[in-house]
Amino acid sequence: MSDQAKDERMPEDMEATQASGERAEGGVDGDYEALVRLLKENEELKDRALRVAAEMENLRRRTARDVQDARAYAVANFARDMLSVSDNLRRALDAIPAEAKAAGDAGFKSLIEGVDLTERAMLSALERHGVKKLAPEGEKFDPNFHQAMFEVPNPEVPAGTVVQVVQPGYSIGERVLRPAMVGVAKGGPKAAAEAKVEPGPVNEQAEKDA
């Protein structure tokens, strides 16, 4: 190749080399931007996956709690209806005078024993399903489980103590099926950190049963 031809090609080679360098530089910038974009998308996907996992865990816990509550309280309405039956059995037993019980014949005494056994069997069946009887005499008044019907002057016990149970209450799990209707002492020494006893809210079901 002549010197003249070499001189003519040199500018072309330089331009080609410069263009190639520019393309290489542009390629590096493009690769960097693509890498940054992919890292950002990866972080977003990771964050989204963590949020979905947290939501699924919360859903699992809520579902487990709902299932547990359904098992524990499924019989609540049925149990509440059965309380009136138990109350009537107890009223029937309490209505029999002691003299009649003592003077009654064998058949009459067997009838009394049958009613008593029926009441106890019903309460045992309810207890097996989580229903507990509330007979809080001697305990501190608790407005969550007791309904104060009246106050009884009694200086010998701390004020706010349940001294009489008019009608027993019932609970299922941590819920109240029916509050115990009670009389509360007043005038005695106050228990530590005791709040003033106020009559509880009127329980329509309890008054119907009473």
Side-chain angles (χ1 to χ4, degrees):
M1 181 181 296
S2 65
D3 293 339
Q4 184 179 359
K6 288 182 180 180
D7 293 339
E8 291 176 354
R9 289 189 56 84
M10 285 181 62
E12 295 178 0
D13 292 341
M14 293 177 63
E15 291 177 1
T17 301
Q18 184 177 2
S20 176
E22 291 176 354
R23 285 197 301 270
E25 184 178 354
V28 171
D29 291 342
D31 291 343
Y32 177 75
E33 292 175 358
L35 178 61
V36 170
R37 185 172 61 254
L38 289 173
L39 289 174
K40 183 177 179 181
E41 291 177 356
N42 183 59
E43 288 298 324
E44 291 175 352
L45 290 173
K46 185 185 296 184
D47 184 63
R48 189 181 306 172
L50 290 174
R51 286 200 303 269
V52 170
E55 290 173 1
M56 291 301 296
E57 178 63 17
N58 290 335
L59 178 61
R60 186 192 65 79
R61 291 178 180 175
R62 286 197 302 269
T63 302
R65 185 169 58 249
D66 291 343
V67 170
Q68 183 179 0
D69 288 348
R71 289 175 179 172
Y73 303 117
V75 299
N77 291 333
F78 174 76
R80 189 178 291 109
D81 291 338
M82 290 298 100
L83 296 183
S84 60
V85 179
S86 176
D87 291 339
N88 288 333
L89 291 172
R90 175 45 47 188
R91 290 189 187 102
L93 292 171
D94 292 341
I96 302 173
E99 299 80 6
K101 291 180 181 180
D105 56 19
F108 184 64
K109 290 181 179 179
S110 296
L111 176 62
I112 296 175
E113 291 176 358
V115 174
D116 184 56
L117 287 173
T118 301
E119 182 202 22
R120 282 188 285 173
M122 177 173 291
L123 293 177
S124 296
L126 290 173
E127 189 170 354
R128 284 196 300 272
H129 290 279
V131 179
K132 295 183 180 180
K133 187 175 182 179
L134 303 175
E137 187 169 351
E139 299 177 5
K140 183 180 178 181
F141 176 80
D142 184 346
N144 296 312
F145 294 94
H146 312 147
Q147 181 175 339
M149 306 303 295
F150 51 85
E151 291 183 318
V152 180
N154 189 339
E156 297 181 359
V157 297
T161 301
V162 175
V163 294
Q164 184 176 347
V165 178
V166 179
Q167 184 182 62
Y170 292 87
S171 65
I172 179 169
E174 298 180 353
R175 301 181 186 178
V176 177
L177 281 177
R178 185 180 74 187
M181 301 170 67
V182 301
V184 183
K186 64 176 291 188
K190 291 187 177 181
E194 177 192 0
K196 184 179 179 181
V197 175
E198 297 290 344
V202 176
N203 186 287
E204 297 180 359
Q205 183 64 38
E207 296 200 348
K208 289 180 182 178
D209 295 337

